[in-house]
Amino acid sequence: MKISSANRWFLFIITLIYVAFGLVTTVIGVIIDKFQVTYNVPLRIAALLPLGFYLSYGLFSIPAGIRMDKSGAKTVLTAGMIFMTLGCLLLYLSSNYIMVIMMIFIAGTGVAILQTAGNPFIRELDRPENYTSNLTTIVGINGLGCALGPLIVPVLQSNNIPWKDVYLIFGLFSLFLLILLLTVRVEKIKLTEEDKINTGVIGSLLRNRMIISYSLGIFFYVGAEVGTSSYIVVFMEKVHGISVNTSLWNNDTFMYSVFPSATALVVGLFWFAQAVGRLVSGVIIRSVKPRSVFIFHSAGTCIALLAAIFAPAHIALWAFVVTGYFTCVSFTSIFSAAIQSFGKYHGAISGILCTAVVGGAIVGFIVGAAGNAWGMRPAMIINLFAFLYVFALAVWGKGKLNTE
């Protein structure tokens, strides 16, 4: 299906918005230890950062979807941009750790709303049978932001700029995009009844075994993704003694000025590898059975994370990057398998699945609390068990991946 000329500029802005919320999402992985030092708080308090960010998905995904059905995507996208902009700018101005956590929640609310409004456009771009491929590719759009987010903080700090200034940068970028969004005129995309959120059927869907199993898949996948990426820096310092200030290059080199932190670079490469994997697998899925691709990558995720947890330091660093690559198809495979298994109520199912992203809050917090109590190696094993559920869903799940 061809995109109308009236929506092309709008979709370009959405692309930039995906980059922006990618920046805001992944930077959490490299500020947890800095948050601890700045406010002199234990890891269990710092674990409230991912909790606050991803809790918003559980609270606002369905309400944002309902509002989009009534008001259109532009209205909801504008609201999301306002929340994300305010969250970033007010976090920069925050003077205590409680306010920082609250502003992380506000920014997370904006990101949750933006994803809820942005994702329905994917179904407008092509034939329904290409949904899995398209979803995998479009979700990869924010990969640039996801990869760059963790790299900005150490570069700022190597130039004696406080880590909180990164939120000033993100806030100003978001404000610029908000202004663009307010000035653009777009055609209102009319969602079909299947794509709208029918609140009357949500209760019955929540009793459906397939919906339950795939919602848990999203819950555990996102939880493990957050629980892994957010604690790479802390894990490498606590387990292997590699400080966030340790670089792979000598201090007087150009590469050091660009990548002053080895562990922050690994976090960035985790997300970059995932983005590249999504773009590549979006093409592969057109000619290889999506379930086979899902099984292969979910198994690879477990193996790579196992290596990252127990291997020596130099292997663990790169095993985390490989873990990022292998996560590339899990979210979109789970999401599309659930959607394609039902001929109607797609909006309601999408709302339920987006709400399950709250797993990032709960599992991420549990990993942080466990790391505080028992150490980071046992804590990372929690992520491994969550990824094993995703692998089991890939092998035995009854959901329909659309080329089967």
Side-chain angles (χ1 to χ4, degrees), residues 152-170:
I152 296 175
V153 174
V155 172
L156 292 179
Q157 290 210 294
S158 69
N159 290 281
N160 298 315
I161 300 173
W163 65 268
K164 283 174 61 177
D165 283 31
V166 74
Y167 283 96
L168 175 62
I169 296 171
F170 293 167

Side-chain angles (χ1 to χ4, degrees), residues 146-224:
C146 289
L148 289 178
L151 302 179
I152 296 175
V153 174
V155 172
L156 292 179
Q157 290 210 294
S158 69
N159 290 281
N160 298 315
I161 300 173
W163 65 268
K164 283 174 61 177
D165 283 31
V166 74
Y167 283 96
L168 175 62
I169 296 171
F170 293 167
L172 293 176
F173 182 40
S174 298
L175 180 61
F176 169 70
L177 294 179
L178 174 60
I179 293 171
L180 284 183
L181 189 61
L182 290 172
T183 57
V184 70
R185 293 184 60 187
V186 297
E187 296 176 0
K188 183 176 178 180
I189 292 180
K190 296 180 180 180
L191 299 178
T192 66
E193 290 303 313
E194 288 77 15
D195 287 330
K196 292 183 178 180
I197 293 183
N198 187 333
T199 55
V201 303
I202 288 178
S204 62
L205 287 171
L206 287 173
R207 294 189 293 271
N208 183 287
R209 290 184 179 181
M210 185 175 293
I211 294 296
I212 293 171
S213 64
Y214 280 85
S215 294
L216 286 173
I218 294 291
F219 181 94
F220 285 122
Y221 166 73
V222 177

Side-chain angles (χ1 to χ4, degrees), residues 142-386:
N142 75 338
L144 177 62
C146 289
L148 289 178
L151 302 179
I152 296 175
V153 174
V155 172
L156 292 179
Q157 290 210 294
S158 69
N159 290 281
N160 298 315
I161 300 173
W163 65 268
K164 283 174 61 177
D165 283 31
V166 74
Y167 283 96
L168 175 62
I169 296 171
F170 293 167
L172 293 176
F173 182 40
S174 298
L175 180 61
F176 169 70
L177 294 179
L178 174 60
I179 293 171
L180 284 183
L181 189 61
L182 290 172
T183 57
V184 70
R185 293 184 60 187
V186 297
E187 296 176 0
K188 183 176 178 180
I189 292 180
K190 296 180 180 180
L191 299 178
T192 66
E193 290 303 313
E194 288 77 15
D195 287 330
K196 292 183 178 180
I197 293 183
N198 187 333
T199 55
V201 303
I202 288 178
S204 62
L205 287 171
L206 287 173
R207 294 189 293 271
N208 183 287
R209 290 184 179 181
M210 185 175 293
I211 294 296
I212 293 171
S213 64
Y214 280 85
S215 294
L216 286 173
I218 294 291
F219 181 94
F220 285 122
Y221 166 73
V222 177
E225 180 190 68
V226 173
T228 301
S229 63
S230 296
Y231 295 102
I232 291 173
V233 171
V234 176
F235 177 89
M236 294 306 299
E237 182 167 5
K238 300 294 185 184
V239 175
H240 296 291
I242 298 179
S243 166
V244 70
N245 297 317
T246 302
S247 179
L248 297 174
W249 292 274
N250 294 328
N251 292 13
D252 57 350
T253 62
F254 170 77
M255 292 302 292
Y256 176 85
S257 66
V258 179
F259 304 114
S261 169
T263 50
L265 174 60
V266 167
V267 177
L269 290 175
F270 175 99
W271 294 105
F272 180 74
Q274 183 190 82
V276 171
R278 282 176 170 166
L279 294 172
V280 172
S281 61
V283 177
I284 293 174
I285 285 173
R286 293 180 181 270
S287 56
V288 179
K289 287 186 176 181
R291 185 173 297 278
S292 299
V293 177
F294 185 17
I295 291 172
F296 173 77
H297 282 80
S298 58
T301 302
C302 297
I303 295 169
L305 181 58
L306 192 63
I309 295 171
F310 293 106
H314 64 286
I315 296 177
L317 281 170
W318 299 110
F320 277 121
V321 177
V322 176
T323 302
Y325 164 75
F326 277 115
T327 63
C328 66
V329 302
S330 291
F331 181 88
T332 51
S333 294
I334 296 168
F335 201 96
S336 58
I339 292 288
Q340 298 298 324
S341 297
F342 294 83
K344 54 183 179 179
Y345 306 136
H346 294 159
I349 295 168
S350 178
I352 293 170
L353 295 173
C354 286
T355 301
V357 173
V358 74
I362 297 172
V363 177
F365 177 75
I366 291 173
V367 170
N372 188 79
W374 305 312
M376 286 308 302
R377 186 166 271 154
M380 278 289 180
I381 293 175
I382 295 171
N383 296 318
L384 179 61
F385 282 117

